[in-house]
Amino acid sequence: MDMTNRKSQVGSRHPTIIYRLESSSSMTTIELQNFAFPTLFLVSLMIYLFTLSGVAALTSFTLGFLLSVAYLWSYKMAKGVHGERILLSAAVQVGDEIEEQFVLTNESYLPVIWAEIFDRSTLPGYNASMVVALGSNGSRKWSNNGICSLRGVYTMGPWEIHMGDPFGIFFVRQVIQDKRELVVYPPLAEVPAELIPQSSSHGDTKFLQSFFQVDSTQAFTTRAYVQGDPSRHIHWRTTARRGDLFVKGFEPESRSIVWILPDCDARVHTGSSLDSTEEKMVILVASLAKRLLDTGICVGLLSHTDRVSVLEPSPGLAQFWRILRALSSLRATPSVNLASQLSRSASVVSPGTLLVAVTPSTDIKWVEAWKKIPQFGAIGLQIILLDPTRDTPSKVDHTARRLKSTGVQTRSIKTHHIEPVVGSYGELRRWEFKILPIGKAIVVQRPRPYSPELQGKKR
């Protein structure tokens, strides 16, 4: 039986636990794996008690002795084997290398015939599972490396150590609840100048006119609370009157506020992996936010998946990393459509600001829904259409013309023009060596050291 099938069976069966040892970070159990030995022992013992047969006595003694040895062996492994997992390096961007160190120690005088490491990390393509053996009072240390190929928020761990006695009677499982968060940020791309929002007008309201970057202290409206709103903005009087959380809406003193809305409707996205419209959209949103923040504009992010997430507009580099963190975990869902996303966004976006929506959808039914919202005319709207085809003209071009005819600012871009820049946040960090003429190898580059402050604290 191969390791994969064995893991599947071990994880899916209902174990008969006969011993449990718990600590703050792990739980160890001894499970009865082979029922044949105890069953035969009980049968032979019953036969001996009724017949006093010498053969039955020898059989029951032998089986009882094997059961005792097997349990003692398993008990010593449960008490004496300890594992440690150290994240030595962590990724920041796609293409970075991570490195972990595993240490397995056996404090028992009995050897560990086999110990299987079963890793439950969520990083795509990364596998730290393996099988090792340990001598009595021995230890083993090894490293495991992997390349981060996709953006996301992942966990390194938890992990398990599976062991067993030489007779296959008992199974020892040690579950180590040691998890560390790993954030892999999406890459950036060059943004064409025509996609950058410019000063424009809608009715009598001008957008992007100044760079004063604060809200006024004069609240002129309230709205329902959504995930991400600061607690200091809660309007307690309205909350108490309506029995639900409401926050203040501020009259913006800044006209240079841009909200970005990525379309999270999974039904309109096509392609897979790095070539999907979803990944291209995330890269474009991150790049667009970077360009706008670099010019001093306040940028906010709205995402509508299974819940509404709001990242309030703010300027500066710190806001850029907050946006990247939010985009790292963004995943499209079939439970929303662009019309509902725009309608919900209108209740969050302040009048006098600009909302930029990025979508591959060619359905413009949402336009009528947008024009029916109370804030229509006070909020600027720009649509960036993603075109996954290489055809010219395409269906997206036709959609862009229709949207422009309705008065909606519209831009379009071919997804194959959104090319990720390798090393967007600095040089890729991997193990690289150089061989000197004398034959000695020296380290030219090493992976980025793990930092809880950079990647998120240990959980």
Side-chain angles (χ1 to χ4, degrees):
M1 182 184 299
D2 61 38
M3 186 185 299
T4 303
N5 291 335
R6 185 180 179 285
K7 286 178 184 176
S8 177
Q9 291 187 9
V10 169
S12 61
R13 65 186 176 87
H14 299 285
T16 302
I17 299 174
I18 59 178
Y19 175 81
R20 186 192 303 267
L21 176 65
E22 294 188 46
S23 67
S24 59
S25 61
S26 66
M27 182 181 71
T28 304
T29 58
I30 299 178
E31 305 164 11
L32 182 59
Q33 181 172 248
N34 190 332
F35 288 86
F37 274 85
T39 302
L40 289 174
F41 169 70
L42 292 176
V43 170
S44 61
L45 183 61
M46 293 297 295
I47 293 175
Y48 168 72
L49 293 176
F50 282 103
T51 65
L52 299 179
S53 167
V55 174
L58 179 62
T59 303
S60 60
F61 174 80
T62 303
L63 292 174
F65 177 76
L66 289 177
L67 282 170
S68 300
V69 171
Y71 182 78
L72 175 64
W73 206 310
S74 300
Y75 180 79
K76 289 296 183 181
M77 287 190 295
K79 296 280 288 185
V81 175
H82 307 285
E84 184 181 10
R85 182 177 191 171
I86 307 168
L87 186 57
L88 299 177
S89 62
V92 165
Q93 58 186 324
V94 173
D96 277 352
E97 182 177 2
I98 67 166
E99 182 179 15
E100 289 188 295
Q101 184 180 85
F102 290 81
V103 181
L104 204 59
T105 305
N106 179 22
E107 298 177 351
S108 168
Y109 58 83
L110 294 173
V112 178
I113 305 301
W114 62 271
E116 179 183 348
I117 308 302
F118 185 20
D119 183 30
R120 296 188 180 276
S121 298
T122 59
L123 183 65
Y126 182 77
N127 184 16
S129 301
M130 67 177 301
V131 178
V132 298
L134 292 172
S136 59
N137 295 309
S139 65
R140 183 166 179 181
K141 181 189 297 184
W142 70 95
S143 297
N144 199 69
N145 301 65
I147 301 296
C148 297
S149 58
L150 291 172
R151 53 103 187 170
V153 179
Y154 308 108
T155 56
M156 306 305 293
W159 56 298
E160 300 181 10
I161 305 173
H162 298 170
M163 299 169 284
D165 64 88
F167 312 111
I169 301 175
F170 298 102
F171 178 80
V172 182
R173 184 199 305 265
Q174 186 176 129
V175 181
I176 304 174
Q177 296 293 344
D178 180 16
K179 296 195 295 184
R180 285 176 171 80
E181 188 178 83
L182 183 69
V183 182
V184 181
Y185 296 111
L188 301 179
E190 293 293 333
V191 180
E194 61 268 20
L195 296 186
I196 307 299
Q198 304 295 326
S199 297
S200 60
S201 63
H202 193 292
D204 295 326
T205 305
K206 295 285 185 179
F207 302 99
L208 306 180
Q209 290 179 338
S210 67
F211 294 92
F212 194 76
Q213 299 163 347
V214 295
D215 290 326
S216 72
T217 56
Q218 180 65 41
F220 70 96
T221 186
T222 59
R223 59 173 174 80
Y225 174 87
V226 295
Q227 182 71 26
D229 282 330
S231 58
R232 68 179 184 277
H233 287 177
I234 294 176
H235 195 272
W236 294 108
R237 185 176 300 175
T238 305
T239 296
R241 185 173 69 252
R242 299 194 181 184
D244 202 359
L245 284 175
F246 277 76
V247 295
K248 306 169 187 175
F250 292 95
E251 176 67 42
E253 293 180 8
S254 169
R255 295 302 184 189
S256 54
I257 295 179
V258 175
W259 289 87
I260 304 179
L261 172 68
D263 188 353
C264 294
D265 184 358
R267 293 166 296 186
V268 301
H269 286 285
T270 59
S272 60
S273 190
L274 294 174
D275 292 326
S276 67
T277 54
E278 180 180 344
E279 290 301 312
K280 296 291 188 177
M281 176 185 70
V282 169
I283 294 172
L284 180 60
V285 169
S287 307
L288 186 61
K290 180 69 165 58
R291 285 288 300 272
L292 291 172
L293 288 168
D294 285 346
T295 61
I297 292 177
C298 296
V299 179
L301 182 69
L302 291 164
S303 57
H304 303 264
T305 52
D306 295 328
R307 64 177 186 177
V308 180
S309 180
V310 178
L311 190 58
E312 290 285 349
S314 183
L317 184 60
Q319 177 72 351
F320 173 60
W321 289 107
R322 286 191 286 266
I323 290 174
L324 285 181
R325 177 63 173 77
L327 291 174
S328 297
S329 58
L330 186 68
R331 293 287 182 264
T333 175
S335 60
V336 296
N337 56 50
L338 186 56
S340 65
Q341 293 176 75
L342 288 170
S343 297
R344 292 177 186 175
S345 300
S347 64
V348 177
V349 177
S350 300
T353 58
L354 178 64
L355 176 63
V356 178
V358 183
T359 177
S361 176
T362 56
D363 185 356
I364 65 170
K365 294 179 180 178
W366 56 265
V367 174
E368 293 302 319
W370 172 256
K371 290 183 177 180
K372 291 178 181 178
I373 65 172
Q375 297 89 340
F376 174 73
I379 298 174
L381 177 64
Q382 177 174 313
I383 299 295
I384 298 179
L385 296 175
L386 300 176
D387 189 353
T389 71
R390 294 177 180 267
D391 301 331
T392 303
S394 66
K395 189 175 181 180
V396 170
D397 295 329
H398 177 65
T399 303
R401 288 192 295 270
R402 293 177 62 192
L403 285 174
K404 289 177 181 178
S405 67
T406 64
V408 178
Q409 295 183 58
T410 308
R411 305 286 187 273
S412 64
I413 183 173
K414 299 284 186 180
T415 54
H416 66 269
H417 290 160
I418 306 174
E419 287 292 338
V421 176
V422 178
S424 302
Y425 314 105
E427 190 175 0
L428 293 181
R429 299 294 293 271
R430 302 179 180 181
W431 279 112
E432 292 184 8
F433 301 90
K434 180 180 180 181
I435 306 298
L436 299 178
I438 60 175
K440 182 181 179 180
I442 61 172
V443 177
V444 177
Q445 187 187 81
R446 63 182 69 242
R448 182 178 288 101
Y450 173 76
S451 169
E453 291 75 21
L454 179 65
Q455 289 290 331
K457 294 183 179 179
K458 178 179 173 182
R459 298 190 299 175

